[in-house]
Amino acid sequence: MASVKVLDDLAKMLISGGIEVVDCSGVLGPDTPLLKLPPELAKDTPKIEVHKISEYDKDGPLWAWNWLKVGEHSGTHFDAPHHWITGRDYQDGFTDTLPVQRLVAPVNVIDCSKEAAENPDFLLTVDHVKAWEAEHGEIGNGEWVVMRTDWDRFANDEAAFLNADSTGPHTPGPTAEVIEYLVGKGIVGWGTQCIGTDAGQAGAMHPPFPAHNLLHKANRFGLASLANLDRLPAKGAILIAAPLKIEGGTGSPIRALALVARG
Ligand code: 23J
Ligand code: MN
């Protein structure tokens, strides 16, 4: 069976390091940056708390363990279709019902790090994506697409990560047209290195929060606060991005892992 040889080769390459597993998640803890919404408009996700149950002490002499208070949309995380009103009716749009076959897929990494460094409000356009495809190859059905901005360098500083002023947050993201274009290509999902899948100023776009609106309307997934995308090739890596199987969940923190060929 051909598939046996593929998995046998993969296993050998994983053991030898010929395929590297790159950690595309940031640290999840009390200092992880969290989304801030206008208080008159909406409730925020709560601060992350890590509570010790025991650490080899009177509350558990031989073991250490914690319990967590954490919102679904915290840190490096997954957006399921039911997260947005446009995706509300998909029965397979929850963390416990979505098709896991789709979560392990080739990843296209669009490098916008230079543009984002020059302009925190940088928006990725269809022309830019088409130019990227002309250079690296077409984006295919069932694949992930992620926007590299190297924003993870701010992940230890919430103010810098959110980059908000009196006019709101200023972080890079996609235009509505890019998400429409990629959904048309059949992508499984779209990911960014910022607090959400949309740009900081996306509340004023048409439709508001176009990545959320258009991805989830089409039963596609979102990934936010991804890390270490500078360690991935433009094409050729496999991304594994799987949410916890939360009952009726709309998202979940993830340990995003990329398989990258070395040498
Ligand atoms: C709720 C409302 C607006 C946004 C978000 C959540 C996210 O970015 C998220 O984590 O999905 S923009
Ligand atoms: Mn989210």
Side-chain angles (χ1 to χ4, degrees):
M1 214 159 67
S3 59
V4 172
K5 171 153 170 49
V6 168
L7 285 181
D8 192 47
D9 289 347
L10 175 61
K12 289 192 177 82
M13 290 289 272
L14 285 167
I15 299 295
S16 71
I19 292 174
E20 185 190 356
V21 180
V22 173
D23 189 352
C24 296
S25 283
V27 173
L28 190 70
D31 298 326
T32 299
L34 296 176
L35 182 70
K36 307 276 178 289
L37 292 165
E40 65 279 7
L41 194 83
K43 242 188 210 182
D44 273 331
T45 195
K47 286 187 179 310
I48 297 170
E49 296 176 14
V50 181
H51 296 270
K52 187 181 292 185
I53 304 171
S54 74
E55 193 174 14
Y56 334 121
D57 53 27
K58 65 174 171 38
D59 295 321
L62 305 183
W63 50 89
W65 52 356
N66 305 314
W67 67 270
L68 308 179
K69 178 170 169 178
V70 58
E72 292 175 330
H73 298 260
S74 300
T76 305
H77 77 271
F78 186 100
D79 289 352
H82 193 76
H83 175 47
W84 217 254
I85 188 167
T86 49
R88 65 192 295 170
D89 293 330
Y90 291 111
Q91 291 310 301
D92 62 351
F94 300 84
T95 46
D96 57 335
T97 61
L98 56 79
V100 295
Q101 182 81 26
R102 291 170 68 69
L103 303 181
V104 182
V107 60
N108 300 273
V109 182
I110 302 180
D111 183 4
C112 305
S113 55
K114 194 166 162 285
E115 292 86 346
E118 286 166 4
N119 174 17
D121 288 312
F122 172 74
L123 296 179
L124 181 65
T125 63
V126 173
D127 281 350
H128 188 135
V129 174
K130 286 182 174 168
W132 183 93
E133 287 185 294
E135 185 180 350
H136 299 287
E138 213 181 330
I139 293 166
N141 184 50
E143 298 181 353
W144 292 106
V145 179
V146 297
M147 181 179 180
R148 174 185 160 197
T149 55
D150 295 343
W151 218 254
D152 53 338
R153 71 187 184 281
F154 303 126
N156 58 358
D157 178 348
E158 186 179 67
F161 195 79
L162 300 177
N163 196 35
D165 62 17
S166 60
T167 62
H170 295 277
T171 55
T175 56
E177 292 73 25
V178 155
I179 299 298
E180 255 169 11
Y181 177 76
L182 295 174
V183 165
K185 289 257 164 190
I187 65 160
V188 66
W190 159 263
T192 74
Q193 300 198 264
C194 296
I195 199 77
T197 54
D198 269 297
Q201 292 288 300
M205 289 164 71
H206 302 284
F209 306 106
H212 287 82
N213 183 301
L214 301 169
L215 285 169
H216 305 321
K217 182 162 83 180
N219 204 9
R220 313 304 162 84
F221 309 136
L223 304 173
S225 298
L226 291 167
N228 298 323
L229 298 186
D230 58 316
R231 294 170 57 190
L232 307 190
K235 261 188 183 286
I238 303 276
L239 180 64
I240 304 165
L244 295 177
K245 202 169 179 175
I246 298 166
E247 189 174 353
T250 72
S252 154
I254 57 172
R255 189 66 174 262
L257 302 175
L259 307 186
V260 179
R262 291 295 171 215

